[in-house]
Amino acid sequence: MTSISRKGILVLALLTVLALLAAPAVAQDMEESEFVFAHGGPIRTLDAPVTWFISTHWLANLLYDCLIWRTVDGSGYVGQAAESWENVDATTWRFNLRPGITFHNGEALDAAAVKWNIDRVRTREDFMVQPQWLDVAEVIVVDDVTVDIKTVAPTPYFEFIVSFNGCELLPPGYIEEVGEEQFARAPVGSGPYVLSEFSESDRYVFTAWDDYWGGRPDIDRVIYQVIPEQSAQVAALLAGQVDMVANVPSAEVPGLEMAEGIVLTSETAAVMQHLYLRVETETGNMDSTYPDYQPATLDANVRHAISAALDRDLLAEVHGSALPRTGRICPHFPEGGGDSFNSAEGVAAAYNPDRARELLAEAGYADGGPTVYLDSPTVGRAGSEKEVAEVVSVMLEEVGFNVELTVLDPSAYGEQISSGGNNRDIMMVSLGCSVPLVPLFYQCNWIQANYNVCNEDFDAVAQAILTEMDPAARLELWGQWWEYWFDTMQTVTLFESQAIIAYSDEFDFTPRKDGWYTFRENLKLAGDDM
Amino acid sequence: MQQFIATRIVQGIITLIIVSFLAFFLVRLKGDPVDITAPPTFNEDQKQRLRELWGFDKPLAEQYVIFITRAVTGDFGIAYLSKRPAMELVIERLGATWLLAGVASLIGLSVALPLGIISSLNRNSFFDLGSTMLASIGTAMPSFWLGLMMIIFFSVRLRLLPAFGALDPSAIIMPSLTMGVGMAAYLSRLTRSAMLEVLNEDYVRTAYSKGLITRTVVFRHAMKNALIPIMTVFGLQLGWLLGGSVVVESVFSWPGLGRLMIDSIGVRDNTVVQAALLFFSLSFITINIIIDILYAVIDPRIRFD
């Protein structure tokens, strides 16, 4: 009897320990609001200008202010450290800082600090964002709260540059005192949140800063929790342990629709899926990889046939969360061509298999062929690349092409793209569709060696766009750009990816048009004014 | 004994040198890290300057000498992407990986030994058949799938356990169970067969004939002899748990070394990959030296000289 009692006590003790262990995972102070975002990781250094990875800059935007920042709806810019700004002349931009603002450690965020930051980012060759800042010729401190930035040439899209990766303002005094290595361990900014704790590429806890110039943020704590597996992210949301999951796989949507307290929405991921077609063999190292190979896509008729053979509606359906497109720029930009390139009618008109066959016949392939090599990653920025590539192959074969499809692991594919010129005919590429970036992608001094889309005329128009300060004249140049775009058909756009976002109904959330998951004015507790 | 330990340590050092060689050259087989790390806005000149800054422009042999000279002092360089010392990142994550592997091993052992012993004592019984079936399921079940099912059941349905991270002590339950199941399945079969072999020995029959009860025969006589192969495999499995925790760490977002290594491989952060690989190897070698020493403790007949 005594022995049984002892055993009973032991079992009871064990059960008690297990119950304590299994108690609610995270004790929460009910008075403090907390928002947890499931981040797919990895997250790089929060010495933000060092890294180019956008998903790290999502976090940086809570910790730091930039001079100005892109609006949620993508239509313009708002001041952060700068209260106002103006284009003084073709190559000078003046920024008037908010008087008296400081970094979290009390250090002044003045014109000298802005100069230190921009000089740092434009001169450090080990910084991944440095190339985009090479347009800056000089930064002049006018007075404590006024700074002029001179550009090497007229730069109409300078506001985009100055609000993009590397725009984060860091405290010069603190960095010089502790060094960059220590700064990476304990970064300090001037944004609405202080980084209160973090473990590298795992969990980052941001706490609202009382003294922020824009007022204390509505949410007390914003946490970025790295959860690499998408299924595990969704499970954590359903378990109430995270509050938002972005890029929900379409297979998970029905389950989330049935769950209580979950809001589902979708917004552009600001990424488009394209087929890059080889239009010349001079650049890159294709000749050494495939000596004497003559890509069929050198013939414009073949390129147009590829475009006409593709049913973009079906491809968007295969992707699961995408809108069919024929243009190159996200349609919410005025330069994006609007409905003419992206409407259902426009997209439907582009699909014409009979025309594709005619074009192939004109190119000398009436009896079948040509053979084209299509390379794709298993998955990339747009998602479902492999599946889309397989359907593209079928569509091309339907009109007479012989397709040799190669699907590679993303890192091997990245290697192939970046190491230069290994693609023979067609490669799947997902790229951003923001206006100021797109002309860059087609300049001959950029990475055309890898994508093989260099075209001198195209380059000239792109260069003119990037230096034309008059908005009306610039739109006209865009018209020329689009003509080249459709004439040369060196890039065939398939669709624009849409991110499916699931979040707790305890929050009001407006997704950003730039595909960034950074939370400032676009996130509130449900019921509060946005 | 001391000579044996010294020999094993020297062998371990030689193994580490070989691993360092492989770690250094294999990560380079994956291609130029600058090509992957640099953004598409970098042209070839800018990439070349980055190679010079990071020392990739030097001959490979020279790079290796620099790497190994620094590595012996614990300096693996600064991680390209986090801008913190690679060693610091590895040490930060090492504890979580060891803890997970340790708890998983405890679970594995505490399930496997009783199952294996009872099965061997009741050969071909329902219990034996049942444990064989469980072992087959445990071995065949992918840890990735098991982990997700556990999250759905314990976190989503019952809301009992955290679905991710290592914030709460209870967070270790699911990942360690996921890892422990496979180990338990394998070790239970091994324990059963090792015990069956020993139970047929003359000295066990003698022990029984002396009138000793089964518990005494099993734990005092049979188990000690059966433990040698079990410990050998346990050592290897523990090493596998340290290295093979990558999948489980990803599913449960456990902040361990495996996840750090996968992240770093993805972005060619060689400094971290090399440091992590060497730490995995060091752990593996250390565990196996300890196991070798334990042989002598368990079975005094084993002499190393």
Side-chain angles (χ1 to χ4, degrees), chain A residues 278 281-291 415-423 448-450 452, chain B residues 35:
Chain A
R278 182 176 272 275
T281 55
E282 300 300 312
T283 47
N285 58 8
M286 193 196 84
D287 272 351
S288 56
T289 317
Y290 307 108
E415 196 101 0
Q416 170 157 320
I417 287 182
S418 53
S419 60
N422 288 322
N423 60 310
Q448 81 293 336
N450 309 322
N452 314 104
Chain B
D35 271 341

Side-chain angles (χ1 to χ4, degrees), chain B residues 116 119-123 128 190-201 226:
Chain B
S119 290
S120 64
L121 291 173
N122 303 280
R123 200 177 168 189
D128 186 25
L190 188 77
T191 306
R192 179 184 177 273
S193 60
M195 282 296 290
L196 280 176
E197 204 176 310
V198 173
L199 287 173
N200 287 326
E201 295 286 338

Side-chain angles (χ1 to χ4, degrees), chain A residues 197 323 391:
Chain A
E197 59 172 281
L323 296 172
V391 178

Side-chain angles (χ1 to χ4, degrees), chain A residues 57-309:
Chain A
H57 286 271
W58 298 347
L59 285 73
N61 189 245
L62 294 187
L63 180 61
Y64 305 105
D65 268 346
C66 292
L67 282 170
I68 59 172
W69 187 243
R70 306 184 300 279
T71 53
V72 174
D73 65 5
S75 64
Y77 302 89
V78 287
Q80 281 189 343
E83 200 169 35
S84 61
W85 66 99
E86 60 185 322
N87 191 194
V88 179
D89 58 48
T91 57
T92 308
W93 293 78
R94 172 160 293 179
F95 294 89
N96 304 302
L97 306 181
R98 295 176 196 279
I101 62 170
T102 65
F103 292 98
H104 301 146
N105 62 352
E107 189 177 334
L109 198 175
D110 53 15
V114 172
K115 177 176 167 55
W116 182 91
N117 273 282
I118 296 178
D119 282 345
R120 179 181 188 241
V121 74
R122 75 191 180 90
T123 53
R124 284 284 293 268
E125 290 182 342
D126 57 331
F127 283 11
M128 299 298 157
V129 296
Q130 190 229 10
Q132 88 190 37
W133 291 84
L134 293 176
D135 290 330
V136 174
E138 191 184 4
V139 184
I140 301 163
V141 174
V142 179
D143 59 45
D144 274 358
V145 290
T146 314
V147 62
D148 282 352
I149 303 179
K150 289 197 165 288
T151 54
V152 289
T155 312
Y157 293 118
F158 188 68
E159 286 155 308
F160 182 85
I161 293 169
V162 90
S163 64
F164 201 57
N165 292 1
C167 68
E168 297 86 355
L169 299 169
L170 282 55
Y174 176 60
I175 294 180
E176 280 166 4
E177 182 193 330
V178 301
E180 288 183 358
E181 209 174 293
Q182 179 57 24
F183 183 79
R185 291 189 192 102
V188 168
S190 63
Y193 286 90
V194 174
L195 182 64
S196 44
E197 59 172 281
F198 78 102
S199 62
E200 194 79 34
S201 200
D202 176 47
R203 182 178 170 87
Y204 294 74
V205 181
F206 294 91
T207 308
W209 185 36
D210 292 333
D211 299 328
Y212 186 57
W213 60 262
R216 191 178 198 277
D218 191 40
I219 314 275
D220 296 307
R221 263 196 311 274
V222 174
I223 298 172
Y224 283 82
Q225 172 67 49
V226 174
I227 305 180
E229 294 300 328
Q230 284 184 323
S231 312
Q233 289 183 4
V234 172
L237 178 69
L238 288 169
Q241 292 167 13
V242 301
D243 298 300
M244 183 181 288
V245 172
N247 300 313
V248 174
S250 44
E252 302 275 6
V253 171
L256 286 166
E257 277 172 343
M258 287 193 293
E260 275 182 32
I262 304 286
V263 180
L264 274 166
T265 187
S266 71
E267 184 53 87
T268 177
V271 169
M272 280 183 168
Q273 179 71 69
H274 312 280
L275 301 179
Y276 268 57
L277 312 181
R278 182 176 272 275
V279 295
E280 44 84 23
T281 55
E282 300 300 312
T283 47
N285 58 8
M286 193 196 84
D287 272 351
S288 56
T289 317
Y290 307 108
D292 303 324
Y293 179 70
Q294 280 298 301
T297 51
L298 296 184
D299 187 329
N301 280 330
V302 172
R303 300 200 295 272
H304 282 276
I306 290 171
S307 174

Side-chain angles (χ1 to χ4, degrees), chain B residues 26 86 148 263 301:
Chain B
L26 285 180
L148 283 176
D263 287 351
R301 290 172 306 174

